[in-house]
Amino acid sequence: MAEAKLIEKYFPHLTDRQREQFAIMLDAYPEWNSKINVISRKDIENLECNHLLHSLALARFIKFTPGSKVMDFGCGGGLPGLPLAVMFPDVQFHLIDRTGKKILVAQEIAKACGLENVTFQHGDVAECKDKFDFIVSRAVMPQPDLIKLARKNVSSVQRNALPNGLITLKGGDISAELRKTPAGGEVAELSNYFEEPFFKTKKIAYSPIINK
């Protein structure tokens, strides 16, 4: 079984169970990717750094309070939702994607990891009526567009250190799109969390969404 050495470098306090779950992901994603393409075939060899650790940048930005509910919008094959579900076993994650094959991969990997804090939805976010503390997403669409779509799903009940809202993984210059988002947002440079070259241009964009 593969070892998640890079993840353990930055998250040294993982439980044995968490180490095992990340190792399962490192084996399962390449196997599934050979059947259903959810990660670029040129990039699958960089799975741990460019995909799993990238997803876990959100765990450096915020420590979700136990009992929180998080939606992964456009989860693809389960990123960032599944790595976050391993990291936060007391938080409920709901993964949504329009592509059935990608949801299938995410479901099978979650099953292989024994994750019990994850639910799945094949379809559009407009069909989801549930409320969440946070919406997370990985390079799906511009921040203002995502806020419009997901606003109705953000709970008005606050239980985390940050106000409820949208937290996305981004790359490159995002200043133009963030000018169209609500005040009180924040941008975090992933190079402050991780030293690998991949993270030099990568960012987290956080936008609070206040519903009354």
Side-chain angles (χ1 to χ4, degrees):
M1 185 179 287
E3 289 185 54
K5 293 180 180 178
L6 197 55
I7 294 172
E8 291 184 36
K9 170 184 172 182
Y10 291 106
F11 297 93
H13 302 299
L14 295 175
T15 65
D16 289 343
R17 178 63 175 146
Q18 287 171 320
R19 290 189 183 92
E20 179 187 19
Q21 288 170 314
F22 285 127
I24 289 169
M25 283 188 188
L26 286 171
D27 286 336
Y29 268 111
E31 183 179 340
W32 273 102
N33 210 60
S34 66
K35 306 170 192 173
I36 299 171
N37 193 28
V38 293
I39 293 170
S40 166
R41 293 210 164 94
K42 294 178 182 177
D43 203 30
I44 193 69
E45 64 187 42
N46 301 311
L47 172 65
E48 185 177 9
C49 178
N50 296 10
H51 300 279
L52 302 189
L53 188 61
H54 187 211
S55 298
L56 291 171
L58 296 175
R60 296 292 297 267
F61 181 75
I62 181 173
K63 299 290 186 287
F64 295 117
T65 301
S68 295
K69 294 179 68 179
V70 178
M71 177 204 289
D72 181 355
F73 180 102
C75 67
L79 304 170
L82 294 186
L84 292 173
V86 171
M87 192 62 70
F88 298 102
D90 296 324
V91 173
Q92 184 66 39
F93 291 86
H94 184 63
L95 278 59
I96 298 180
D97 201 275
R98 289 179 173 180
T99 306
K101 287 182 179 180
K102 291 180 179 180
I103 282 286
L104 171 65
V105 172
Q107 286 176 315
E108 291 300 321
I109 291 176
K111 189 185 301 181
C113 292
L115 289 171
E116 297 180 353
N117 58 327
V118 185
T119 54
F120 299 90
Q121 180 181 334
H122 172 213
D124 194 281
V125 70
E127 300 163 0
C128 181
K129 308 302 181 189
D130 293 342
K131 299 287 186 181
F132 302 88
D133 300 278
F134 291 95
I135 314 292
V136 299
S137 192
R138 190 172 183 247
V140 170
M141 64 177 65
Q143 198 90 342
D145 298 339
L146 194 44
I147 289 172
K148 287 177 187 175
L149 285 173
R151 175 178 291 279
K152 68 178 178 57
N153 297 106
V154 176
S155 173
S156 60
V157 178
Q158 305 289 332
R159 52 183 151 192
N160 284 270
L162 279 177
N164 296 351
L166 173 66
I167 311 173
T168 57
L169 290 160
K170 298 279 189 177
D173 185 359
I174 57 172
S175 54
E177 69 176 86
L178 293 186
R179 280 196 290 270
K180 302 173 185 175
T181 60
E186 188 178 338
V187 175
E189 302 285 343
L190 298 200
S191 57
N192 292 333
Y193 301 152
F194 310 131
E195 63 185 10
E196 285 67 27
F198 171 78
F199 298 105
K200 282 185 178 177
T201 61
K202 300 295 187 289
K203 301 172 176 67
I204 284 173
Y206 160 67
S207 299
I209 298 176
I210 307 303
N211 288 329
K212 296 179 180 179

